[in-house]
């Protein structure tokens, strides 16, 4: 409908201060046109009906700080978000830059994994890519995960039986998305 409110990007985080920092940074960036809302997962889940009338969600950014994707609290909250918003892509924003974290997040259903050590402009570009239907994970972390170390130890080990590997999770990028990703890595906005 022509009178439908503009889409919004939800920033969810259990920690109010961190949530507001991410919210204020993204809101100040001119690269993303949607409005932003910042709230806890519980508030998002409880107020979904009201939020839907105020503007549909185009993306949910789950800011988890130093919490591991393998943590049961994250798994529980993430499953609840996926169930409540099956059509909305979710991105994990994490202080951890471990390749196994990337694999676990993508295997859990995230469309993107953005470590906070990433350049802010690249973070915005990654969010735009995911919002547009793509997937994002820092290629250097994917490369690390896919490498096989000669001693057989480390993050390059095979994923547990029944779980997809990162290559298969990220392998469905279109040729155009791959080109855009390469340009982003070279520093182009």
């Amino acid at each position: 409908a022509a009178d439908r409110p503009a889409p919004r990007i939800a920033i969810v985080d259990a920690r109010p201060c961190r949530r507001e920092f991410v919210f204020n940074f993204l809101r100040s960036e001119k690269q993303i046109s949607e409005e932003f809302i910042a709230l806890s997962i519980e508030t998002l889940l409880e107020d979904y009906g009201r939020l839907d009338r105020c503007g549909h969600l185009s993306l949910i950014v789950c800011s988890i700080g130093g919490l591991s994707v393998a943590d049961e609290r994250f798994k529980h909250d993430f499953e609840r978000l996926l169930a409540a918003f099956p059509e909305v892509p979710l991105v994990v924003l994490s202080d951890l830059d471990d390749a196994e974290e990337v694999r676990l997040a993508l295997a859990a259903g995230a469309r993107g994994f953005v470590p906070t050590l990433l350049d802010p402009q690249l973070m915005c570009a990654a969010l735009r890519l995911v919002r547009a239907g793509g997937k994002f994970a820092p290629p250097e972390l994917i490369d690390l995960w896919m490498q096989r170390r000669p001693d057989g130890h480390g993050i390059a080990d095979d994923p547990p039986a029944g779980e997809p590997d990162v290559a298969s999770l990220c392998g469905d990028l279109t040729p155009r998305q791959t080109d855009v990703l390469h340009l982003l890595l070279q520093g182009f906005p």
Side-chain angles (χ1 to χ4, degrees):
D3 60 345
R4 181 161 183 159
R8 291 181 169 191
I9 295 176
I11 311 299
V12 295
D13 193 325
R15 304 229 172 148
C17 190
R18 187 173 56 212
R19 181 173 62 230
E20 289 300 314
F21 283 135
V22 173
F23 169 76
N24 286 320
F25 166 74
L26 289 173
R27 192 173 62 174
S28 72
E29 285 298 306
K30 304 301 180 211
Q31 298 183 39
I32 301 175
S33 59
E34 278 94 345
E35 289 185 32
F36 293 90
I37 54 175
L39 58 175
S40 69
I41 290 173
E42 288 74 25
T43 302
L44 179 61
L45 292 170
E46 291 169 7
D47 291 346
Y48 173 67
R50 181 182 60 80
L51 291 172
D52 195 43
R53 287 189 300 277
C54 296
H56 70 279
L57 296 176
S58 63
L59 182 68
I60 298 173
V61 178
C62 298
S63 175
I64 63 172
L67 189 66
S68 172
V69 174
D71 186 279
E72 289 303 319
R73 293 170 293 181
F74 171 79
K75 286 181 181 180
H76 175 71
D77 288 342
F78 199 74
E79 289 169 1
R80 290 171 52 208
L81 286 172
L82 286 172
F85 303 98
E87 301 299 318
V88 180
L90 279 82
V91 172
V92 174
L93 178 64
S94 174
D95 292 345
L96 304 177
D97 64 341
D98 181 76
E100 183 65 5
E101 291 290 314
V102 173
R103 188 186 69 76
L104 290 172
L106 295 176
R111 295 293 310 234
F113 183 93
V114 177
T116 54
L117 64 73
L118 209 59
D119 176 80
Q121 302 307 314
L122 184 54
M123 179 182 93
C124 290
L127 295 179
R128 287 194 320 267
L129 175 68
V130 173
R131 184 194 64 214
K135 289 185 179 181
F136 180 83
E140 62 275 9
L141 293 181
I142 294 171
D143 290 343
L144 259 177
W145 189 84
M146 291 178 10
Q147 290 173 1
R148 294 210 169 267
R149 290 179 40 185
D151 62 4
H153 294 94
I155 58 174
D157 294 340
D158 289 331
E163 289 190 24
D165 62 28
V166 172
S168 68
L169 290 167
C170 295
D172 62 350
L173 291 178
T174 67
R176 177 66 183 142
Q177 289 171 333
T178 302
D179 290 342
V180 169
L181 181 58
H182 287 292
L183 290 171
L184 290 172
L185 291 172
Q186 294 172 18
F188 292 98

